[in-house]
């Protein structure tokens, strides 16, 4: 046992390599989104993420938008805790019966102009969980949806591209 410990101490730590540089175009996409939001709203874009019953795969990709690779905050884009401060609702997952009223109240509390983005395959029509007794359906079954970003889960670059398309089309 001492031999194993000594060998592992001499080998050094095993660490993962850090993330590589951001994908080409991330900076350009985020800048376009910030410019479009400032033109349309007069300020930067505020995003409220709502999990309506997902498996959390889409949330992991949404949270990646705030990591060191994408870092949306440097472009003035931010996630907010209250729907009263949001311009965009990013809704993930199939809408469960327990979340139907909460999702509608969140949408209702969001001031106009507001956009709803259904993120992932489950948010479109219930996905894998379609037809389950606890599922109401996709996001559009409860609130109006302005954009659907497909994928299971969609990559952060796809989320960013979708937000750019949404805000630029709203001009």
């Amino acid at each position: 046992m001492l031999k194993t410990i000594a060998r592992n101490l001499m080998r050094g730590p095993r660490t993962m390599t850090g993330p590589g540089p951001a994908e080409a175009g991330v900076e350009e996409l985020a800048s376009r989104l910030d410019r479009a939001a400032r033109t349309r709203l007069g300020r930067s874009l505020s995003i409220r993420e709502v999990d309506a019953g997902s498996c959390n795969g889409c949330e992991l990709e949404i949270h990646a938008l705030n990591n060191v690779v994408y870092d949306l905050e440097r472009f003035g884009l931010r996630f907010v805790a209250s729907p009263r401060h949001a311009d965009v609702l990013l809704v993930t997952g199939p809408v469960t019966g327990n979340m139907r009223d909460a999702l509608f109240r969140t949408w209702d509390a969001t001031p106009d102009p507001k956009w709803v983005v259904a993120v992932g395959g489950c948010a479109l029509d219930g996905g894998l969980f379609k037809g389950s007794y606890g599922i109401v359906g996709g996001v559009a079954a409860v609130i109006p949806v302005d954009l659907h970003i497909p994928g299971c889960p969609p990559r952060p670059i796809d989320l960013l591209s979708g937000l750019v398309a949404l805000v630029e089309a709203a001009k």
Side-chain angles (χ1 to χ4, degrees):
M1 176 137 125
L2 290 174
K3 188 176 180 180
T4 303
I5 293 173
R7 184 179 56 228
N8 287 334
L9 285 174
M10 298 305 283
R11 188 179 326 168
R14 292 186 184 197
T15 59
M16 295 174 55
T17 57
E23 293 181 39
V26 169
E27 209 163 303
E28 193 268 330
L29 270 174
S31 295
R32 274 180 51 203
L33 178 56
D34 188 43
R35 279 193 307 275
R38 288 181 189 278
T39 300
R40 175 84 167 104
L41 302 169
R43 57 184 164 73
S44 60
L45 195 66
S46 298
I47 304 165
R48 171 71 173 131
E49 194 273 326
V50 179
D51 179 350
S54 76
C55 69
N56 290 339
C58 294
E59 281 77 14
L60 291 172
E61 299 301 316
I62 289 170
H63 291 204
L65 291 172
N66 274 333
N67 71 17
V68 297
V69 176
Y70 296 96
D71 192 18
L72 284 188
E73 291 274 337
R74 68 185 156 147
F75 300 106
L77 306 171
R78 61 194 175 110
F79 286 88
V80 294
S82 171
R84 298 188 196 292
H85 302 141
D87 304 308
V88 175
L89 292 179
L90 280 180
V91 186
T92 62
V95 181
T96 63
N98 292 337
M99 281 299 293
R100 175 186 14 209
D101 293 337
L103 179 58
F104 182 78
R105 284 196 313 264
T106 301
W107 177 81
D108 197 38
T110 305
D112 290 326
K114 60 185 160 198
W115 297 290
V116 176
V117 178
V119 177
C122 294
L124 175 64
D125 62 359
L128 216 52
F129 309 101
K130 186 177 183 178
S132 173
Y133 70 92
I135 302 299
V136 174
V139 177
V142 179
I143 58 176
V145 173
D146 299 300
L147 175 69
H148 175 252
I149 301 174
C152 187
R155 299 174 309 146
I157 194 81
D158 298 334
L159 295 167
L160 196 53
S161 298
L163 288 172
V164 168
L166 177 73
V167 176
E168 286 184 345
K171 287 181 185 177

